[in-house]
Amino acid sequence: MEQKDFEKIYNDYVNQNSSSNGSEQEQQSEKEEIVAVRKNEDGDIIAFKTKSGRELDYVTALEEAKAGKISHIDVFHKYGQDIIRSEPDGIEENNLDNLPLF
């Protein structure tokens, strides 16, 4: 049976991941970030405000999120349509529902 160098394989993996992580962090810094939301009477989020001051309707924000132009946002399919949500990171303060209103 062939003996593998598990430690070398793991270290190669870690080094590969950390070198690509730097460029990913640079890409994240170039993206817009949602800092506030607008809700309708039912409490549904209908618009977003970015850190640069742009105000995006839901559909535009959805398109930009799908294109990877907005950081810390996920798009998933639920109820037969695409929905925007904040990345699940365990920090409740940055959840879209908990952001300030504009």
Side-chain angles (χ1 to χ4, degrees):
M1 187 168 172
E2 178 185 342
Q3 182 147 0
K4 295 184 178 184
D5 186 348
F6 294 112
E7 190 159 345
K8 179 187 180 321
I9 293 169
Y10 175 76
N11 287 334
D12 289 347
Y13 165 75
V14 169
N15 290 332
Q16 173 190 3
N17 218 12
S18 61
S19 65
S20 68
N21 196 17
S23 64
E24 185 177 318
Q25 287 175 346
E26 289 172 19
Q27 289 174 352
Q28 284 289 345
S29 67
E30 296 173 7
K31 295 181 181 182
E32 287 275 22
E33 184 178 338
I34 303 296
V35 296
V37 296
R38 178 167 291 160
K39 297 181 180 184
N40 65 11
E41 293 175 358
D42 295 329
D44 300 319
I45 296 173
I46 59 170
F48 304 88
K49 186 171 190 172
T50 68
K51 196 172 193 172
S52 68
R54 293 175 56 218
E55 295 180 1
L56 307 173
D57 61 76
Y58 196 92
V59 174
T60 301
L62 184 62
E63 290 170 359
E64 290 195 15
K66 284 181 183 180
K69 296 179 179 179
I70 302 176
S71 64
H72 310 298
I73 297 293
D74 287 336
V75 176
F76 69 104
H77 198 75
K78 191 173 182 180
Y79 311 119
Q81 60 190 8
D82 290 330
I83 296 174
I84 297 174
R85 72 173 188 180
S86 52
E87 287 180 339
D89 60 5
I91 303 171
E92 287 192 30
E93 293 81 29
N94 69 5
N95 289 350
L96 294 176
D97 269 339
N98 296 334
L99 291 178
L101 300 176
F102 74 96

